[in-house]
Amino acid sequence: MNSTRRTAQINTVRARVLARLQQAPGAMTGQAIAQALGLPYKPVVDALVALNNQGKVWRIGRKFTAQWTAHPPPSEQERALTHLDRLFRP
């Protein structure tokens, strides 16, 4: 029974974290996600790592400064085109 309850709780945290990231206009830190959801930091980070392993979220950066996003990060080509567009836009 404890195992089932814990699994349901983990899935709920993952679902809430994923929903929050999908609503966010950009990347967020783990701390910002935890504060926005009113959850402790550790379960949020555990959920983010699990979602990252499933390919549902992406981490930009490392350790405590990492930003998380539900949208795939731009490719090198997309970033280069965006940079050129900004340079030559009147």
Side-chain angles (χ1 to χ4, degrees), residues 53-89:
N53 290 340
Q54 294 173 1
K56 294 181 179 179
V57 300
W58 289 266
R59 181 178 61 203
I60 304 166
R62 302 174 79 182
K63 206 74 166 162
F64 299 110
T65 60
Q67 299 276 320
W68 298 87
T69 181
H71 309 288
S75 67
E76 288 292 323
Q77 182 179 8
E78 288 173 339
R79 284 193 291 173
L81 291 173
T82 301
H83 182 67
L84 285 173
D85 189 43
R86 287 181 184 155
L87 280 175
F88 294 107
R89 182 177 291 159

Side-chain angles (χ1 to χ4, degrees), residues 24-62:
M28 298 177 70
T29 64
Q31 187 67 33
I33 296 167
Q35 288 174 351
L37 295 174
L39 296 171
Y41 177 72
K42 179 67 172 145
V44 170
V45 170
D46 290 343
L48 287 167
V49 170
L51 291 167
N52 186 40
N53 290 340
Q54 294 173 1
K56 294 181 179 179
V57 300
W58 289 266
R59 181 178 61 203
I60 304 166
R62 302 174 79 182

Side-chain angles (χ1 to χ4, degrees), residues 3-19:
S3 176
T4 306
R5 187 172 169 191
R6 183 180 171 128
T7 303
Q9 184 179 18
I10 289 172
N11 289 333
T12 302
V13 172
R14 288 182 192 171
R16 290 176 66 187
V17 168
L18 182 59

